Amino acid sequence: EVDLEHRRVSVEGKEVQLTATEYDVLRLLVAHAGKVLTHNQILQQIWGVGYTEQPHLLRVNISNLRRKIEPEPTRPRYILTEIGVGYRLKANP
């Protein structure tokens, strides 16, 4: 559950602590749930135009998010990878 108004994220009723960047990535995915966001779109929105050639920043934050919110981080159900394109948050999980 993501409460955008109060900047809170919870999994099975327990609040999850996210870094500011992790929260920003998740908020962006929530705002576009069900739609694929390209690596460049996410990098530009979160880090700025100068970071589009730094995909490792995004991979690390996606990995951290999955560890915190996915039941099985190695088999994600919510934050899905669109290989070679970007990421998509599953709508209505």
Side-chain angles (χ1 to χ4, degrees):
E1 183 178 322
V2 180
D3 179 348
L4 296 174
E5 184 177 341
H6 297 102
R7 281 185 73 95
R8 290 193 186 125
V9 176
S10 58
V11 175
E12 296 180 2
K14 295 180 182 178
E15 191 167 342
V16 176
Q17 298 299 315
L18 301 179
T19 67
T21 303
E22 291 166 354
Y23 179 82
D24 289 342
V25 171
L26 183 58
R27 181 178 41 82
L28 183 63
L29 291 170
V30 166
H32 300 280
K35 297 177 183 172
V36 177
L37 294 176
T38 68
H39 299 112
N40 282 345
Q41 286 175 310
I42 300 169
L43 287 164
Q44 285 180 20
Q45 288 290 317
I46 305 301
W47 287 275
V49 177
Y51 289 85
T52 57
E53 298 300 318
Q54 309 234 3
H56 65 281
L57 292 172
L58 180 55
R59 281 194 303 271
V60 167
N61 279 274
I62 291 291
S63 176
N64 290 341
L65 273 172
R66 284 178 171 157
R67 262 196 341 243
K68 293 177 180 183
I69 68 170
E70 295 278 0
E72 292 182 64
T74 58
R75 297 176 61 194
R77 294 187 341 200
Y78 306 121
I79 301 173
L80 306 175
T81 301
E82 299 293 336
I83 297 171
V85 180
Y87 297 97
R88 174 174 55 92
L89 182 69
K90 184 175 180 184
N92 302 319

